[in-house]
Structures are given as C-alpha cells and as structure tokens.
C-alpha cells in the first residue's frame, strides 16, 4: 500500500511504522468520573467497535476497528487517532476519521483546540544490505564516521526542533538499531516527523490545518530520501 505521505509521490510501497493524529483541548468536565462516554461511543461505533480492554487508566477510553488496524482514544482533554503502518492506505482515511473528531468535539461543546498535530514514523528497512546510505538517505541526515577508528557505532539518533511557518516540527532521524546494544546495526533508518500547531484552532479549520501539516511532511520526506530509496518506493 502507499502511505499518505506517498499519496502525491505515486509510491507503490512504504516503510511506515505508525501514523498518529492528535488534538488537545480544554478539559471537558462531563468526561471526568463517568463510566462510558455515550456520545463519543455513538459517533465512532460504526468504525471503531472493539473496546481496548488493556486500558486501566481512569478517564481514558479507546476503541479499535474490527481488524485492529486503527485506534481512537479519548480523554477529558485529548483525542488521538493511530494507524498501523502495515495497513495504512491514504490520508483520506484520516480525513474521514477527523470528521468524527469534529463531531465528537461539537457534541461536547468544544469550539477550539489548543493544539493539533500529525506524526508520521518511518523505519526504512530494505531487504537488501545497505553499504552506502548516501544513496538512500540525504547525506545531511547522517554521518556515521567515528572520531576514533576503535569506536563501533551502536546507535545514532538526532532529535531536532524547528519552526515551519506557524507550525513546530519535532524531527527524529538516524539509526535506532533494533539489535541494540549489539554493534551489528543492520539495515534500519528512522525518519520520524511530528508537526503540530502552536496556537488555538477553531474546529471548523481542523481539516484545513491537517492538509497543511500533511503537505509539510510530504515535502520534508521527499527532501530526506536519496535516489535509491526513491526508486525502491516507486518500484514497490
């Protein structure tokens, strides 16, 4: 499948691990110390019908879709949508679920959100051995040369924060090394984009803001990858 970041790039495959969309808002008193949030459940029940039985935290409710491919979570001050990267299709799926978020907020009398964000986690893990990451990932995002030849790389992750117009970007990238602390790093490179608003947003503008966040991530992803990865994604 092609993930939403790939929508406008015509890629046939992706390395998406997870996609998340979140809104934070003022505390809804009605959601404090209640059993089941009926209005929330009524709005999501057609698409999210499986209760997450692993939840033990009070005032937190979460439901999966019937195939456990996506999940929605509600607290008294936030709603989070999450999508399994193995099953994620396009950003239109998120837009459809954002419509439910807006209906939920309206049902509880919330007119503005304090913050909304879109996060997109990629684990670039090709089947082939990568001897030179320069052709897969923009060289500006990695430099694995040790200052001492006796040093063996175990993990290399960079976390940076940027302002992108009116938005804020938390960008994490590098080799996480799922074999840590083994020095046999293997093939994996993390590209984790987390873009969010820095001011109040009226709920009538949530979809418009989502499109802007989505476009920022598409642009950044395109600039982050090299020719070999681009070709790999196109060929599927």
């Amino acid at each position: 499948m092609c993930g939403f970041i790939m929508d406008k790039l015509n890629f046939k495959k992706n390395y998406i691990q997870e996609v998340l969309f979140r809104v934070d808002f003022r505390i809804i008193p009605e959601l404090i110390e209640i059993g089941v949030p009926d209005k929330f459940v009524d709005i999501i029940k057609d698409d999210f019908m499986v209760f997450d039985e692993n939840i033990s935290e009070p005032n937190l409710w979460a439901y999966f879709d019937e195939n456990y491919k996506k999940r929605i979570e509600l607290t008294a001050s936030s709603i989070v949508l999450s999508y399994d990267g193995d099953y994620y299709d396009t950003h239109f799926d998120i837009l459809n679920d954002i419509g439910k978020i807006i209906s939920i907020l309206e049902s509880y009398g919330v007119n503005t959100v304090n913050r909304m964000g879109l996060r997109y986690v990629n684990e670039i893990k090709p089947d082939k051995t990568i001897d030179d990451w320069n052709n897969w990932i923009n060289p500006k995002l990695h430099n694995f040369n040790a200052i001492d030849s006796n040093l063996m790389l175990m993990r290399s992750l960079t976390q940076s924060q940027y302002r992108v117009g009116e938005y804020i970007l938390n960008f994490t990238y590098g080799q996480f090394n799922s074999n840590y602390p083994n020095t046999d790093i293997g093939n994996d490179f993390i590209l984790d984009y987390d873009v969010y608003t820095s001011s109040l947003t009226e709920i009538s503008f949530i979809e418009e803001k989502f499109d802007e966040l989505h476009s920022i991530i598409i642009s950044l992803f395109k600039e982050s990858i090299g020719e070999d990865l681009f070709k790999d994604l196109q060929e599927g």
Side-chain angles (χ1 to χ4, degrees), residues 95-114:
L95 278 171
N96 181 58
D97 293 331
I98 285 176
K100 294 180 180 62
I101 288 181
I102 294 172
S103 295
I104 293 165
L105 295 175
E106 288 175 338
S107 73
Y108 288 106
V110 177
N111 299 313
T112 59
V113 296
N114 300 334

Side-chain angles (χ1 to χ4, degrees), residues 141-174:
L141 299 182
H142 66 83
N143 183 1
F144 303 140
N145 295 323
I147 58 176
D148 187 316
S149 60
N150 293 318
L151 299 178
M152 301 184 68
L153 184 67
M154 296 169 62
R155 175 171 288 169
S156 178
L157 282 175
T158 299
Q159 294 180 308
S160 304
Q161 188 172 76
Y162 303 91
R163 179 167 287 280
V164 185
E166 62 181 291
Y167 303 109
I168 296 174
L169 164 69
N170 289 329
F171 184 26
T172 302
Y173 56 91

Side-chain angles (χ1 to χ4, degrees), residues 204-220:
S204 60
F205 289 101
I206 286 179
E207 292 176 329
E208 178 181 324
K209 294 291 185 181
F210 166 78
D211 282 336
E212 293 177 6
L213 297 174
H214 175 241
S215 294
I216 288 171
I217 295 177
I218 288 178
S219 177
L220 292 171

Side-chain angles (χ1 to χ4, degrees), residues 54-81:
N54 295 318
I55 297 296
S56 58
E57 185 178 337
N59 302 119
L60 189 156
W61 304 270
Y63 291 80
F64 293 97
D65 72 320
E66 62 180 346
N67 298 313
Y68 293 85
K69 297 178 181 179
K70 61 182 181 178
R71 180 177 182 271
I72 188 168
E73 174 184 298
L74 171 72
T75 72
S77 60
S78 67
I79 301 175
V80 181
L81 289 167

